[in-house]
Amino acid sequence: MIVFPAIDLKDGEAVRLLKGEMDTATVFNSNPAAQAKEFEDAGFEFLHMVDLNGAFEGRPVNRSVVEDIIKTVSMPTQLGGGIRDLKTIEQWLETGVSRVILGTVAVKNPALVIEACKVFPGKIVVGIDARGGMVATEGWAETSDLEATDLARKFEDAGVSAIVYTDIDRDGLLQGCNVESTANLAREISIPVIASGGVASVEDIKQLKAVEDAGIEGVICGRSIYDGRIDPKEALKIAAG
């Protein structure tokens, strides 16, 4: 199981939000590239990034910061936030991002995701962000009438590399990951699932590891790593099993 440390980018800084609300941002590092290097030096092997400004504006915003991160670390990276067309996917992949995460566009234009999987095989991840089990879009500003499982099933045979499943109601609150709903989603589909939202301690990683066979590829950790609640060495040891 992969432990993905998260760098959420807002106005060029590494921040964390509460429940995805932009006005709740806590700045954890004003130098995201240095933060990425710290993560790599701690032993992490795959970095998760979100262009928060991009998610709200529907276009890449923190491009220069992402470029700095990619130049600084050698580990692979995945990036989401404001990626809504094939040209933007191509631009990010050319920049050196290993995988792009499609969220809003997966709801509004699933055909584009399917096309992207054909054009960029192995490079497409779908981000499903759920509030009360219903999919949210536009940087979580809007909630759709689509259930998370129904959206995931649309991409069952498309060639999606993974699904990042975020429980918005827990995101940034350190109240624990919604292991049950994550595992339930993973059992319903054949696409690997990455857990996200609310991961508070190594106990969450242990619980996810226990249901890894359901189809859980990894877990994204944000605030809990930044504030020291999760020790990287311990987390990586548990995930390696």
Side-chain angles (χ1 to χ4, degrees):
M1 200 170 78
I2 302 165
V3 181
F4 297 84
I7 292 183
D8 289 359
L9 298 166
K10 178 177 184 278
D11 306 332
E13 298 178 309
V15 307
R16 296 304 293 167
L17 307 183
L18 298 177
K19 292 189 177 183
E21 303 288 342
M22 284 290 259
D23 58 5
T24 65
T26 303
V27 177
F28 279 102
N29 199 324
S30 55
N31 185 340
Q35 182 63 63
K37 187 75 176 79
E38 235 177 89
F39 285 148
E40 187 168 63
D41 290 346
F44 292 108
E45 296 180 348
F46 210 127
L47 181 67
H48 175 83
M49 299 183 287
V50 180
D51 180 353
L52 291 171
N53 302 101
F56 281 90
E57 295 186 30
R59 61 178 183 83
V61 176
N62 288 286
R63 184 182 295 278
S64 62
V65 186
V66 173
E67 287 172 353
D68 285 345
I69 290 170
I70 288 166
K71 284 176 194 159
T72 304
V73 297
S74 58
M75 62 177 158
T77 59
Q78 61 185 25
L79 171 77
I83 305 170
R84 310 279 164 87
D85 54 52
L86 290 172
K87 186 181 178 192
T88 307
I89 295 169
E90 185 175 25
Q91 287 171 343
W92 278 129
L93 293 174
E94 284 175 352
T95 298
V97 172
S98 310
R99 307 199 298 199
V100 299
I101 304 165
L102 304 179
T104 294
V105 76
V107 179
K108 304 203 165 178
N109 186 2
L112 186 135
V113 177
I114 293 162
E115 174 73 8
C117 288
K118 288 177 187 165
V119 179
F120 309 107
K123 301 289 187 181
I124 305 300
V125 173
V126 168
I128 297 182
D129 306 324
R131 185 183 281 117
M134 309 308 282
V135 178
T137 61
E138 307 295 343
W140 301 353
E142 296 177 14
T143 306
S144 72
D145 55 2
L146 188 63
E147 285 194 14
T149 310
D150 292 336
L151 178 59
R153 284 197 187 108
K154 289 187 181 185
F155 307 112
E156 193 61 291
D157 301 314
V160 169
S161 294
I163 283 175
V164 174
Y165 176 70
T166 306
D167 185 336
I168 297 168
D169 296 321
R170 300 198 186 202
D171 189 68
L173 296 180
L174 298 172
Q175 291 177 350
C177 177
N178 194 333
V179 175
E180 187 182 2
S181 66
T182 305
N184 286 343
L185 174 65
R187 288 186 189 103
E188 290 288 327
I189 55 174
S190 60
I191 306 164
V193 173
I194 298 167
S196 170
V199 176
S201 67
V202 291
E203 192 54 43
D204 287 311
I205 297 172
K206 283 178 185 172
Q207 288 179 17
L208 285 162
K209 184 69 179 174
V211 292
E212 183 181 14
D213 290 351
I216 294 178
E217 177 182 276
V219 55
I220 293 166
C221 301
R223 189 178 290 267
S224 54
I225 292 180
Y226 287 100
D227 69 11
R229 288 169 193 254
I230 287 182
D231 173 62
K233 277 184 184 166
E234 192 181 357
L236 290 164
K237 189 178 173 185
I238 293 163

